[in-house]
């Protein structure tokens, strides 16, 4: 539970950074995600993954010694490696949940902006449109981040995006 909460409220910018490296230029990374805070969060995240895997392995060793005759270090080591990999995947999944919220908020803004520009009959190239959508998305989140309500704003925008259907494109488009 502590690992989940850590991922949801402290380590989520790692997913933002990885998506930014993958070419998602619209991703907003919070202002505080740099320097010592970034180093500390990444270090604590790794320690949490290792401690959960280590405690699971120790529990397995205790249970096997108490209830079975098998004490082979090879299969316990194998279990430790599998547990570490599984917890690493779980860590990535939990961090990715916040990215999905940001993605939902961005594409909602993207669709609204597309509908508005089509209604006003403004002619933008696709690159200009994507830049405008990314800029507006980042400005919204930047304002929320400066006000200290980044996660609240992200969560509410994602919730709205999931509830509202995408705007219907006109037949000419």
């Amino acid at each position: 539970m502590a690992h989940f909460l850590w991922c949801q409220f402290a380590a989520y910018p790692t997913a933002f950074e990885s998506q930014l490296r993958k070419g998602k230029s619209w991703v907003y990374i919070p202002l505080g995600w740099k320097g010592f805070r970034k180093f500390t969060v990444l270090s604590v995240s790794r320690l949490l993954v290792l401690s959960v895997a280590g405690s699971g392995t120790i529990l397995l060793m205790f249970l096997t010694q108490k209830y079975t005759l098998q004490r082979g270090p090879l299969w316990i080591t194998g279990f430790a490696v599998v547990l570490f990999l599984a917890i690493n995947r779980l860590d990535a999944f939990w961090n990715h949940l916040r990215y999905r919220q940001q993605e939902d908020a961005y594409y909602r803004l993207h669709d609204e902006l597309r509908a508005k520009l089509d209604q006003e009959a403004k002619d933008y190239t696709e690159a200009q449109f994507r830049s405008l959508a990314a800029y507006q998305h980042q400005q919204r989140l930047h304002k929320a981040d400066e006000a200290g309500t980044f996660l609240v704003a992200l969560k509410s925008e994602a919730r709205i995006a999931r509830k509202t259907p995408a705007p219907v494109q006109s037949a000419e488009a």
Side-chain angles (χ1 to χ4, degrees):
M1 188 62 171
H3 186 223
F4 172 75
L5 293 174
W6 177 259
C7 289
Q8 287 298 294
F9 296 106
Y12 61 88
T14 57
F16 297 168
E17 268 191 342
S18 70
Q19 293 299 324
L20 191 61
R21 278 187 244 117
K22 290 179 182 177
K24 310 280 189 197
S25 60
W26 49 265
V27 173
Y28 175 77
I29 297 177
L31 296 172
W33 186 249
K34 57 186 168 204
F36 184 70
R37 176 179 162 85
K38 179 180 175 179
F39 174 75
T40 304
V41 168
L42 290 174
S43 299
V44 170
S45 293
R46 286 296 144 222
L47 285 174
L48 273 172
V49 167
L50 289 172
S51 66
V52 170
S55 62
T57 303
I58 290 170
L59 179 66
L60 176 74
M61 286 174 30
F62 172 75
L63 291 175
T64 56
Q65 286 179 359
K66 185 168 177 98
Y67 296 110
T68 68
L69 298 175
Q70 296 195 6
R71 294 185 177 99
L74 186 61
W75 76 277
I76 290 177
T77 304
F79 177 78
V81 168
V82 168
L83 187 60
F84 174 75
L85 293 174
I87 292 171
N88 245 351
R89 292 299 308 152
L90 193 60
D91 184 69
F93 174 75
W94 284 338
N95 284 330
H96 192 74
L97 291 176
R98 288 285 182 205
Y99 166 74
R100 287 296 309 258
Q101 287 179 331
Q102 192 171 148
E103 185 178 48
D104 289 344
Y106 169 73
Y107 282 112
R108 177 179 157 261
L109 174 69
H110 183 276
D111 292 344
E112 287 175 354
L113 188 59
R114 171 78 69 196
K116 180 181 173 187
L117 292 177
D118 284 348
Q119 210 173 41
E120 295 174 357
K122 292 194 176 176
D123 191 27
Y124 279 87
T125 66
E126 189 61 31
Q128 289 173 325
F129 174 73
R130 280 191 308 240
S131 294
L132 180 62
Y135 175 76
Q136 287 186 2
H137 171 71
Q138 289 177 351
Q139 288 304 307
R140 276 185 182 178
L141 292 179
H142 182 72
K143 286 179 185 175
D145 195 12
E146 285 181 333
T149 59
F150 176 75
L151 289 178
V152 173
L154 187 61
K155 188 175 179 180
S156 67
E157 284 190 32
R159 186 178 300 131
I160 292 168
R162 290 185 186 122
K163 288 182 180 178
T164 53
V168 178
Q169 296 288 329
S170 64
E172 299 102 35

